Amino acid sequence: MVKPQIGEDGVTKTKQKTFKSRVRHSGLQSARRPTPKQFYHTIADGSHNWEYMIGADGSFLYVSPSCERISGYTAREFMEDPDLYIKIIHPDDRDKVLKHLNCMHAGPVHAPMDFRIISQKGEVHWISHVCSPIFDDQGEFIGRRGSNQDATEKVNLERRLFHSEFLFRTIFEGIGTGIAVYTASENGRDFIFKEINKAGEESSRLKREHIIGKSVQEVFPSVEKLGLLEVFRRVYRTGEPEHKPMFQYSDHRVDLWVENYVYKLPSGEIAAIFEDKTAEKAVQEELRISRERMQLAIDSVSDAFWDWCIPEKRAYFSPRYYTMLGYEPDEMEPSMETWEMLMHPDDFPRAKRLMIKYLKSGEPYSVEFRMKTKGGDWKWILGRGRVMEFDENGRAQRMVGTHVDIHQKKQFENRLELAQKVFDEALEGVVVTDQDGKILSTNKAFSNITGYSAGEALGENPSILKSDRQDDDFYKKMWDALIEKGEWRGEIWNRRKNGEAYPQWTTITAVKDDFGVASRYVGVFHDLSDVRRGEEMLRHQAYHDALTDLPNRELFTEHLRQAIARAERADELLAVIVLDLDDFVSVNNALGHVAGDKILQEAADRLVLRHGWREFCCRMGADDFVLVQTGLKSPSDAALTADSLNTIFDEPFRINDEEIYLSASMGIAVTKKGSEPADPITLIKNADVACREAKQSGQGKHRFFKRSMNEEANKRLAMLGSLRTALQNNEITVHYQPKVITAHKTIMGMEALVRWRRNGGLASPADFIPLAEDTGLIVPIGRFVLEESCRQTQHWRTASGKDVKVAVNVSPRQFREDDMPLLVREVLDKTGLPPGALELEITESVLMQNPEQSRITLQDLRAMGVTTSLDDFGAGYSSLSYLRRFPIDVLKIDKSFVDDVPDERQANMLVRAIVEMAHGLNIQVVAEGVETKDQLDFLHKIETDYIQGYYFSKPLPPEEFEALLHEGPLVQPFAPYLC
């Protein structure tokens, strides 16, 4: 084959003329016009790609320097050996490349193609190849110009991304933790649901289609006051991830405890990883991602060229430069000012600084930045360039370079970063193995659960966790499912590093390669130890008393039923004994409930030790126990048992170095031979009636049940029947006791107290209020008292012109069952009473029922303007933490403290401390039960805010209280005190 003449520049002499003619018509001539050789070298030599030119006879006319970077062979080696190009093509791709080259003369256009080459170092490189024809001035075909781009990194990145995305999806599909993605709205003040996975749906009790597109506050109305929305705002503002510790969320739909990890994604969205702590099994459900994923396969693109004439501030951009940003060439001015204008403002200072640096040094530069597309989006660009010409003073005159669209690469990297973050921060343990079971990677949760660090686990087989709780057949079935379906999920017993066996819920997924062969296995698991312990604890708690651990009523009744059946078969008697600790309420009041609980626990232990059968002992109520004695021959045997049980109280109970002596009253109900089978409920009831009879006859006594004892129980039923109709018959009324300002003895308000007109008199509240509380009648009675008190108070405020304030007691049951904020709002709207004129009195027992819900209710009431008073302070638990945790406005000192002042020094110190502490917390103080002048003087001296008691007035009917309201000060002014 005859080779054409090649000039020193590597271009055929016949082609130089053509190049010169092109340069003359290119519009780039200037006073210092480059030769065709210079112009071509400028473009080709500066290209990142392997540029070359082939003559019509198939020989190389030019090869750019980049060929050596890509293939390892120099341009001259290709020029001297035309067959070298074919030799280095991968054997599997050689036929299609030869076919491509052999059809060179078939037409002017060749479609782009990808193939592999083997470099001089033996490395495999992927090549993206494009070529185009070259014609002379007469239109004759004289060769082709080709461009080979090294696509190895792109291919490897796509493969890694594929496996990473599969791994990412696998983790999400197997993970049991809720994940939600939000977009910001209102400048970051609120956030809109964009995505939520299945575990998130189950945790929130909502369906995806019901919340996507809605704001967080729409879906979760209470989230603002719980602080989670503020965490979202900070993360969105600062970009720093935050952990929101476990907190309780409650609304009309759900009541759950949840823990959140909040991150800001590279895309600007907020991602929340949250776990429903109220239902650990919910994490066994696999996560799924419903939102459509971005297109992963993006066609590779060629570089865009630019040529900048610095003195003339003139630039040339290749067509690809425009289309890369979505423009047509005639839509953009080719200038560096355009380049600056389109660059992201955050990236421009750095890019410009580097450009100036390299203009001075003449070194090639490379920088990544974002440019604005025609559609208004920002696209990541890799800019490369170098100075090609300097003047005589060493100043840069001309710079050329390329732009490469790396936006897809950036997106891939962001996805990889997100996948890695999810992998690292997942609450479930994650382990990845190769096809042989060798551990390749683990996350932090893996180490937390198993005790093995990542360094200890890497390279090992997961069998290091095997506990031998499951046999070989179990694992065979697991692997059969993995091979057949590519996935297995179930419960496995494993063993931690410290030797402890534990259950875990596991999802194993096979990650397959391009040929469908499993190359990786991903295991996602959750430790079920806490769940199992919780289930066992719940089962035990369901049938046992929480304080004494004795069987509860349900379990005891079943034991009693079985014992009755055995006694009947054996023709024996059986006794049920109800034991009530005498005057235990006084012990509770004196020592507190903690001490009282310890006494009850010790009493239960003594009963079991004496009786011998724990399953036949039960704690029925606060201080009531019930026992079963089997194997009796006569009822007198039960009396002997009762006497024996009473001996457990011979020894005192020791609490805080104090000796407490107690006794117990007992009631006995014995089965009868030959009668109908005894009913457990009836036996317990009869023994309870007998116990009440025993208590009335004195402490430490026991009584056998008699039918006449039912009469007292019937009286209670009769009272209950009358109480049920008392509201309809207008028998329930309200009396008012004044509350006096200590400083100037005037009435500032009153406490509303319920009364029941029955049988021509007033029934004692001590008789009917506990009955109403037990039966639930206290709720409608409480609503009546609230509305009537507000109506009457508003009447007095209007008639007298005095801003009196009414305090209304709220029972524990009403506070628990009624929606108090809604009820109060309705009553105030109906009566016209201002919210500031109403105070609700609650006891410490109300707060103990559900502290968190109580706090929310009190906050809602305070927001309305209604104040709250803590009644009987000192008589109950008297936890100081309540005063700090709950929005309490007023504290009422219990009468039992006031009774002992000023005569007892300890009482004086306690009352003074309560007043000073309350004032330090900005809480007002009311002393109730004031009955003497000495008590009044002492309370005034220690600056008690308000006084209430019989010293001023007993509770009065409305008409008598109205007359009192008009009298002015209730007592003479106090004499001045020297403090």
Side-chain angles (χ1 to χ4, degrees):
M1 179 172 57
V2 179
K3 296 183 179 179
Q5 291 183 321
I6 301 175
E8 295 177 359
D9 55 1
V11 181
T12 60
K13 294 179 180 180
T14 57
K15 305 306 182 291
Q16 291 179 357
K17 181 179 179 181
T18 303
F19 250 93
K20 292 176 181 179
S21 63
R22 289 186 184 179
V23 173
R24 284 197 300 270
H25 293 87
S26 66
L28 292 177
Q29 289 179 302
S30 65
R32 189 180 289 178
R33 182 175 58 194
T35 66
K37 166 186 173 181
Q38 293 172 327
F39 182 74
Y40 184 76
H41 279 197
T42 295
I43 296 176
D45 291 353
S47 174
H48 192 66
N49 295 343
W50 170 6
E51 308 288 345
Y52 67 85
M53 183 184 296
I54 298 177
D57 57 0
S59 61
F60 282 102
L61 303 180
Y62 169 77
V63 180
S64 72
S66 293
C67 70
E68 184 174 1
R69 178 181 55 79
I70 297 173
S71 70
Y73 295 95
T74 66
R76 182 159 296 280
E77 287 178 284
F78 283 102
M79 297 290 292
E80 292 176 350
D81 184 3
D83 295 330
L84 178 59
Y85 188 70
I86 299 301
K87 292 176 183 176
I88 67 173
I89 294 175
H90 194 283
D92 293 343
D93 299 339
R94 193 168 292 158
D95 288 344
K96 70 176 182 179
V97 176
L98 286 172
K99 182 178 178 181
H100 177 83
L101 295 176
N102 290 335
C103 66
M104 181 181 296
H105 300 289
V109 179
H110 281 262
M113 66 180 298
D114 292 341
F115 59 87
R116 291 164 290 177
I117 67 169
I118 301 175
S119 73
Q120 190 179 41
K121 295 181 180 180
E123 299 171 343
V124 176
H125 289 258
W126 276 94
I127 300 297
S128 289
H129 170 81
V130 293
C131 64
S132 58
I134 302 175
F135 300 93
D136 61 14
D137 292 341
Q138 289 73 38
E140 292 295 326
F141 175 78
I142 61 174
R144 286 184 179 270
R145 178 188 178 273
S147 178
N148 291 335
Q149 181 183 6
D150 189 347
T152 305
E153 181 180 357
K154 180 196 72 174
V155 171
N156 291 337
L157 182 61
E158 288 175 347
R159 288 182 174 178
R160 291 199 305 273
L161 179 63
F162 172 80
H163 288 292
S164 295
E165 284 289 332
F166 194 93
L167 173 61
F168 174 75
R169 288 195 302 273
T170 300
I171 293 174
F172 265 64
E173 291 169 359
I175 203 166
T177 303
I179 300 178
V181 179
Y182 311 86
T183 56
S185 67
E186 300 181 13
N187 295 323
R189 295 297 300 169
D190 202 356
F191 298 86
I192 306 299
F193 274 93
K194 181 180 179 183
E195 180 63 274
I196 189 170
N197 64 356
K198 183 176 180 179
E201 290 182 281
E202 293 174 354
S203 296
S204 61
R205 315 294 192 267
L206 290 169
K207 292 296 183 182
R208 180 181 182 277
E209 56 267 22
H210 296 158
I211 62 175
I212 296 300
K214 293 184 178 180
S215 71
V216 175
Q217 296 191 78
E218 282 185 87
V219 179
F220 299 107
S222 303
V223 74
E224 172 76 38
K225 61 185 177 184
L226 295 177
L228 181 58
L229 196 57
E230 187 57 35
V231 172
F232 280 21
R233 292 168 181 159
R234 283 199 304 273
V235 173
Y236 178 77
R237 186 172 61 252
T238 66
E240 294 294 326
E242 285 199 28
H243 171 221
K244 173 69 174 173
M246 183 173 64
F247 64 94
Q248 187 181 25
Y249 177 84
S250 179
D251 60 24
H252 67 282
R253 188 187 67 259
V254 296
D255 185 8
L256 53 85
W257 288 85
V258 66
E259 181 178 23
N260 277 262
Y261 292 85
V262 185
Y263 304 89
K264 186 174 183 181
L265 302 182
S267 58
E269 296 160 335
I270 294 297
I273 302 176
F274 55 94
E275 182 178 11
D276 182 355
K277 292 291 185 179
T278 60
E280 293 287 347
K281 285 189 177 180
V283 298
Q284 299 170 7
E285 298 295 332
E286 65 173 325
L287 289 170
R288 61 185 179 89
I289 300 175
S290 302
R291 192 159 179 85
E292 189 174 81
R293 290 295 181 183
M294 295 182 63
Q295 181 69 29
L296 296 180
I298 301 176
D299 295 336
S300 61
V301 295
S302 300
D303 297 352
F305 294 94
W306 51 269
D307 187 342
W308 180 24
C309 181
I310 299 172
E312 299 179 12
K313 297 182 180 181
R314 178 168 49 82
Y316 165 78
F317 297 150
S318 69
R320 178 60 187 146
Y321 189 98
Y322 303 98
T323 58
M324 186 181 291
L325 300 176
Y327 291 93
E328 294 297 329
D330 58 357
E331 293 182 307
M332 186 191 300
E333 180 69 25
S335 67
M336 296 309 290
E337 287 76 12
T338 302
W339 178 73
E340 296 178 3
M341 179 183 67
L342 294 178
M343 189 177 296
H344 195 288
D346 293 344
D347 301 337
F348 177 70
R350 178 173 56 91
K352 185 175 182 180
R353 184 172 62 254
L354 290 174
M355 176 74 78
I356 294 172
K357 173 184 175 182
Y358 291 120
L359 281 174
K360 293 180 179 179
S361 67
E363 297 176 0
Y365 94 103
S366 177
V367 62
E368 295 179 355
F369 47 81
R370 288 162 290 178
M371 296 190 74
K372 194 171 188 178
T373 66
K374 184 178 180 180
D377 299 323
W378 295 101
K379 177 175 286 190
W380 278 100
I381 302 295
L382 170 61
R384 293 192 181 99
R386 64 181 299 175
V387 178
M388 299 301 298
E389 296 179 11
F390 295 90
D391 64 11
E392 59 276 8
N393 297 317
R395 290 190 293 265
Q397 299 296 294
R398 183 183 179 198
M399 192 174 193
V400 297
T402 59
H403 277 187
V404 181
D405 183 353
I406 61 169
H407 193 71
Q408 187 182 46
K409 175 175 174 290
K410 281 288 187 181
Q411 289 180 319
F412 290 166
E413 291 173 351
N414 289 340
R415 286 179 179 272
L416 288 172
E417 182 181 352
L418 175 60
Q420 187 63 43
K421 180 170 290 187
V422 172
F423 179 83
D424 290 338
E425 301 299 332
L427 299 179
E428 282 73 18
V430 182
V431 57
V432 181
T433 74
D434 63 13
Q435 58 187 358
D436 298 322
K438 184 169 66 175
I439 295 176
L440 301 178
S441 63
T442 62
N443 67 347
K444 289 188 290 187
F446 173 91
S447 298
N448 294 337
I449 294 173
T450 67
Y452 287 94
S453 67
E456 293 171 323
L458 294 183
E460 298 290 340
N461 190 283
S463 60
I464 61 174
L465 304 174
K466 191 175 180 180
S467 68
D468 296 325
R469 290 286 187 98
Q470 281 109 351
D471 56 21
D472 293 339
D473 185 58
F474 171 85
Y475 290 102
K476 181 180 181 302
K477 291 178 180 179
M478 180 185 78
W479 279 105
D480 288 344
L482 262 177
I483 295 171
E484 179 182 353
K485 301 178 181 179
E487 184 181 72
W488 179 88
R489 62 185 64 223
E491 184 175 313
I492 293 179
W493 275 86
N494 272 343
R495 192 175 303 281
R496 307 186 208 277
K497 182 181 177 180
N498 62 9
E500 176 191 355
Y502 69 98
Q504 68 180 39
W505 184 261
T506 305
T507 298
I508 304 176
T509 305
V511 181
K512 298 181 179 180
D513 59 19
D514 296 340
F515 302 100
V517 178
S519 61
R520 298 285 188 274
Y521 292 99
V522 180
V524 180
F525 61 92
H526 178 74
D527 188 351
L528 297 178
S529 302
D530 291 341
V531 177
R532 291 288 181 269
R533 283 191 289 269
E535 290 172 350
E536 182 61 33
M537 184 181 299
L538 287 175
R539 280 194 293 270
H540 184 83
Q541 290 176 348
Y543 296 104
H544 290 79
D545 176 52
L547 180 64
T548 64
D549 203 37
L550 293 176
N552 63 9
R553 183 185 293 268
E554 182 179 356
L555 182 59
F556 174 81
T557 302
E558 181 57 32
H559 289 168
L560 176 57
R561 192 185 312 278
Q562 297 171 9
I564 292 172
R566 288 194 297 270
E568 290 175 348
R569 289 194 298 269
D571 195 27
E572 295 177 340
L573 297 178
L574 175 148
V576 173
I577 303 173
V578 170
L579 182 150
D580 185 285
L581 300 181
D582 294 325
D583 200 24
F584 184 73
V585 173
S586 298
V587 175
N588 244 351
N589 291 338
L591 301 180
H593 286 275
V594 174
D597 288 346
K598 290 181 179 178
I599 292 175
L600 290 173
Q601 290 170 335
E602 186 175 343
D605 293 339
R606 293 185 184 184
L607 284 172
V608 171
L609 185 64
R610 171 68 62 176
H611 185 263
W613 298 94
R614 175 174 287 272
E615 64 269 28
F616 286 148
C617 298
C618 168
R619 179 178 174 233
M620 285 183 59
D623 54 2
D624 296 338
F625 296 88
V626 60
L627 304 94
V628 177
Q629 183 65 49
T630 61
L632 303 180
K633 300 304 181 183
S634 69
S636 60
D637 292 342
L640 295 176
T641 299
D643 291 336
S644 175
L645 290 174
N646 238 333
T647 62
I648 70 172
F649 300 104
D650 292 343
E651 289 293 324
F653 295 85
R654 289 178 172 82
I655 303 295
N656 298 330
D657 297 328
E658 290 191 52
E659 293 186 347
I660 308 299
Y661 286 90
L662 292 175
S663 62
S665 300
M666 283 175 270
I668 306 170
V670 184
T671 58
K672 293 183 179 180
K673 291 184 179 181
S675 62
E676 292 294 324
D679 174 53
I681 303 301
T682 302
L683 276 175
I684 296 172
K685 174 186 173 184
N686 291 344
D688 188 44
V689 171
C691 183
R692 287 200 295 270
E693 184 72 18
K695 288 183 75 70
Q696 293 177 2
S697 62
Q699 298 183 352
K701 307 293 185 182
H702 67 260
R703 291 288 182 270
F704 283 88
F705 171 76
K706 299 178 183 178
R707 294 189 181 278
S708 60
M709 294 179 180
N710 277 327
E711 294 179 3
E712 185 64 29
N714 292 333
K715 290 181 180 179
R716 176 180 169 89
L717 289 176
M719 175 177 282
L720 177 60
S722 300
L723 186 59
R724 291 187 186 279
T725 60
L727 276 176
Q728 291 83 349
N729 296 337
N730 296 321
E731 297 172 4
I732 301 298
T733 185
V734 182
H735 285 194
Y736 301 90
Q737 187 175 31
K739 293 168 68 174
V740 178
I741 300 174
T742 309
H744 46 79
K745 294 71 65 187
T746 56
I747 297 175
M748 56 75 63
M750 54 279 174
E751 180 179 1
L753 300 165
V754 63
R755 294 293 184 263
W756 180 17
R757 293 191 294 265
R758 184 169 186 251
N759 299 329
L762 291 177
S764 171
D767 291 335
F768 73 86
I769 288 182
L771 184 62
E773 182 77 24
D774 291 341
T775 60
L777 290 175
I778 196 68
V779 175
I781 291 174
R783 292 174 185 168
F784 167 78
V785 172
L786 177 63
E787 183 174 340
E788 176 61 20
S789 302
C790 291
R791 184 198 63 76
Q792 183 66 68
T793 301
Q794 180 59 18
H795 166 73
W796 286 333
R797 287 168 65 92
T798 303
S800 67
K802 295 182 179 180
D803 294 333
V804 290
K805 184 173 186 175
V806 65
V808 180
N809 290 278
V810 179
S811 78
R813 187 159 186 166
Q814 183 179 12
F815 192 86
R816 180 176 68 247
E817 296 183 4
D818 258 344
D819 186 340
M820 288 305 299
L822 178 61
L823 174 63
V824 169
R825 171 57 63 193
E826 290 176 350
V827 169
L828 293 178
D829 290 343
K830 183 175 181 180
T831 61
L833 184 70
L838 174 62
E839 181 172 291
L840 298 181
E841 290 193 7
I842 60 173
T843 61
E844 294 172 79
S845 61
V846 171
L847 303 179
M848 290 184 60
Q849 293 173 350
N850 188 335
E852 182 60 24
Q853 187 58 47
S854 299
R855 183 181 63 82
I856 294 173
T857 299
L858 295 181
Q859 286 177 338
D860 292 343
L861 290 169
R862 172 175 280 186
M864 293 167 52
V866 176
T867 57
T868 304
S869 172
L870 186 59
D871 201 4
D872 298 335
F873 186 80
Y877 296 89
S878 302
S879 173
L880 300 182
S881 66
Y882 293 156
L883 303 181
R884 179 177 59 85
R885 291 174 55 196
F886 297 98
I888 301 297
D889 303 289
V890 179
L891 188 150
K892 296 190 73 173
I893 302 176
D894 186 68
K895 183 180 183 299
S896 62
F897 283 86
V898 176
D899 286 343
D900 296 331
V901 299
D903 299 327
E904 291 191 9
R905 180 173 175 273
Q906 286 186 337
N908 295 346
M909 294 175 63
L910 284 173
V911 173
R912 185 188 299 272
I914 292 173
V915 173
E916 291 178 353
M917 174 193 64
H919 287 170
L921 296 173
N922 199 27
I923 296 175
Q924 294 183 319
V925 180
V926 177
E928 57 182 348
V930 178
E931 297 180 354
T932 69
K933 180 67 164 57
D934 290 341
Q935 292 172 344
L936 181 66
D937 291 346
F938 174 78
L939 293 169
H940 179 265
K941 180 179 181 180
I942 65 174
E943 299 182 354
T944 306
D945 299 289
Y946 307 110
I947 302 297
Q948 180 181 343
Y950 274 54
Y951 182 78
F952 300 109
S953 173
K954 65 179 182 180
L956 301 172
E959 58 275 9
E960 294 182 26
F961 184 85
E962 184 170 356
L964 184 67
L965 189 63
H966 291 287
E967 289 183 5
L970 297 180
V971 296
Q972 293 299 318
F974 295 148
Y977 289 95
L978 296 177
C979 298

